[in-house]
Amino acid sequence: MTRGHRPGRLFGPRARLRWVHLILGGALLMPYFLLAQVGVGVAAGGVNVFSSLPLVLASYAVALPLVAVTGVFGLVRPMSVAAVRAMCAVPGERLAEGPARSWSARGRASAWWTLHLGVGAVLSGMTLAVPPMAVLLIALPVTGGPGDVRREAGAGWGGIAAGPYLTPVLGVALLAALALCVAGAGALLARAAPVLLGPTAADRLAEAEERAADLAVRNRLARELHDAVGHALSAVTLQAVAARRVLDTDPGFVREALAAIEDTTRRTVGELDAVLGLLRDGDPARADAAPAPTLAADLDGLLARTRAAGTPVTAHQDPGPAGDWSGLPAIASREAYRIVQEGLSNALRHGSGPVDLRVRLRRGGPSGPRAHPDLEITMTNPPTAPDGREPRTTGGRGLRGAAERAALLGGSVEAGPYQGGWRLRAVLPLAGTGR
């Protein structure tokens, strides 16, 4: 720091804000001080505390433990952090967020509260007393002042006659000393703030867990976008290609393909708008509230749109005694639909020939009253397309997303070559999903 910057450190905007912060601490100490001075006055036999400097200091000393006790309350830390960020020029990342969660954090917050109010009270008292005295000394050669002031000034320091015309120097020195004390106290609090108000290990762990939860939800929304938009683009592309090829020979198929394109795009735009709305609002935690297609309500429509793209699909469904998929837990029904959708998207993009889809409930646990069913999805079709489509690989982002969906329910997804064809097999345990 160069010499030219030192006046700015004493009188610049940062120093002034820290001064206000100290005065705020002194103001906050007043209720504790008044309560303490009542007790000290009673203990001293009803003496007026303000008539004796030792009793004032005793009241100040008694007030500090009261401050420390109230500093353990959880809301003290966020209030202190907000004041430090606004007035002490401490980087926000070095300070903790939210109320203190542990007794260690509460103890550190209490130490900060006591330090801020204790130092602030001293500097507030100096701010009230020193400037009027300094102004009086600076103006003394002009105004003359009272006789006793002139006599004290003439006595000088240490018996050396100084004369009243040196009192302005003393007044300026008092103001400079006050500025130095304020700057030092402000720097002290700024250095102590990260130590006493910084995040603890528990705070860092809670913050990491919150970030991980937020990231998980955002990843889920990204999967929703990928699956919905990817399938829609694949289906619409193939439907348009198929319609173009028979435009002059099969008007009925063309009308059916155009209706399927319209239905696919309308549904996809609705899903896209819902997911983007959650991201735009900055509240991904509401992702569960976004409308999502389910196996129970939307599987038949998905199969119809896939067939309209020119890919034959044979579906075998065995929902068990219920007769339909309405009895599935909502989360299992949503994730199963997306897994089927991803499998059909891969078949549209990379496969050829008919798709064989089997969705059934099967016994997943031991027999007896504790047995629980699993939802099994199996999809097979020829591995490659002869018309120049992108060749199938061992799986891309969509299949990884399907595996993540299954893992969310404790299940698994397998995809790859199988007996000369391509097979996707998913098993979703239904135990513990709210069935």
Side-chain angles (χ1 to χ4, degrees):
M1 182 67 68
T2 63
R3 294 180 180 273
H5 289 96
R6 289 180 181 175
R9 297 179 63 181
L10 295 178
F11 305 106
R14 176 184 298 182
R16 293 196 296 268
L17 280 176
R18 289 178 176 177
W19 199 335
V20 173
H21 184 247
L22 289 166
I23 293 175
L24 176 63
L28 291 172
L29 184 76
M30 285 306 298
Y32 302 95
F33 179 78
L34 293 176
L35 179 62
Q37 65 92 18
V38 170
V40 170
V42 171
V47 178
N48 182 6
V49 171
F50 293 100
S51 63
S52 170
L53 179 60
L55 292 181
V56 170
L57 296 178
S59 300
Y60 172 79
V62 171
L64 293 181
L66 300 178
V67 172
V69 170
T70 59
V72 301
F73 290 102
L75 292 179
V76 168
R77 189 174 74 172
M79 181 177 66
S80 300
V81 166
V84 168
R85 282 178 174 164
M87 301 181 186
C88 292
V90 176
E93 64 272 10
R94 301 182 64 188
L95 302 174
E97 295 284 351
R101 295 179 173 89
S102 64
W103 282 108
S104 172
R106 290 171 184 262
R108 294 198 299 169
S110 174
W112 164 264
W113 187 243
T114 306
L115 178 65
H116 177 206
L117 271 62
V119 175
V122 174
L123 269 295
S124 296
M126 293 174 61
T127 301
L128 290 175
V130 170
M133 183 184 304
V135 170
L136 178 61
L137 291 173
I138 293 171
L140 186 61
V142 178
T143 62
D148 55 346
V149 174
R150 291 198 306 271
R151 285 192 297 272
E152 291 294 333
W157 300 284
I160 302 175
Y165 293 102
L166 290 181
T167 57
V169 177
L170 178 59
V172 172
L174 287 176
L175 291 177
L178 174 62
L180 286 172
C181 289
V182 169
L188 170 67
L189 292 184
R191 288 179 177 272
V195 177
L196 300 178
L197 298 178
T200 63
D203 294 323
R204 294 189 180 93
L205 178 61
E207 184 179 357
E209 291 175 346
E210 184 178 350
R211 285 199 304 268
D214 182 73
L215 181 60
V217 174
R218 290 184 180 275
N219 285 340
R220 178 192 161 188
L221 293 177
R223 288 197 304 269
E224 295 289 331
L225 286 176
H226 172 271
D227 292 350
V229 175
H231 175 79
L233 290 176
S234 297
V236 166
T237 299
L238 292 179
Q239 287 161 353
V241 170
R244 178 177 55 81
R245 288 175 177 174
V246 299
L247 181 62
D248 297 326
T249 60
D250 193 349
F253 180 82
V254 173
R255 284 193 295 270
E256 182 180 346
L258 291 176
I261 290 173
E262 179 184 2
D263 180 59
T264 300
T265 53
R266 181 185 296 113
R267 293 171 58 86
T268 304
V269 167
E271 293 181 40
L272 182 64
D273 183 66
V275 174
L276 291 180
L278 292 175
L279 293 174
R280 191 180 302 115
D281 293 341
D283 189 10
R286 291 175 49 240
D288 289 334
T294 62
L295 197 70
D298 302 283
L299 178 59
D300 292 338
L302 175 63
L303 297 176
R305 291 189 296 275
T306 304
R307 294 182 181 115
T311 300
V313 179
T314 302
H316 306 274
Q317 302 185 49
D318 181 12
D324 58 29
W325 301 112
S326 60
L328 284 179
I331 185 173
S333 189
R334 289 196 306 267
E335 303 304 332
Y337 176 90
R338 291 301 192 190
I339 291 173
V340 172
Q341 184 184 55
E342 176 57 31
L344 292 176
S345 296
N346 279 337
L348 290 174
R349 286 195 295 266
H350 312 295
S352 65
V355 176
D356 183 76
L357 172 66
R358 298 178 182 273
V359 186
R360 69 186 182 99
L361 289 178
R362 68 179 181 89
R363 236 5 116 172
S367 59
R370 291 183 174 271
H372 60 269
D374 291 343
L375 181 64
E376 183 183 47
I377 302 168
T378 306
M379 186 182 306
T380 58
N381 70 308
T384 58
D387 55 0
R389 299 182 207 167
E390 181 184 352
R392 190 192 297 265
T393 64
T394 57
R397 187 178 294 109
L399 291 179
R400 288 196 297 271
E404 291 172 358
R405 292 180 183 278
L408 179 67
L409 303 179
S412 62
V413 169
E414 301 171 358
Y418 180 77
Q419 295 183 355
W422 181 273
R423 184 182 76 162
L424 182 146
R425 180 175 179 269
V427 178
L428 307 180
L430 299 182
T433 57
R435 182 180 173 84

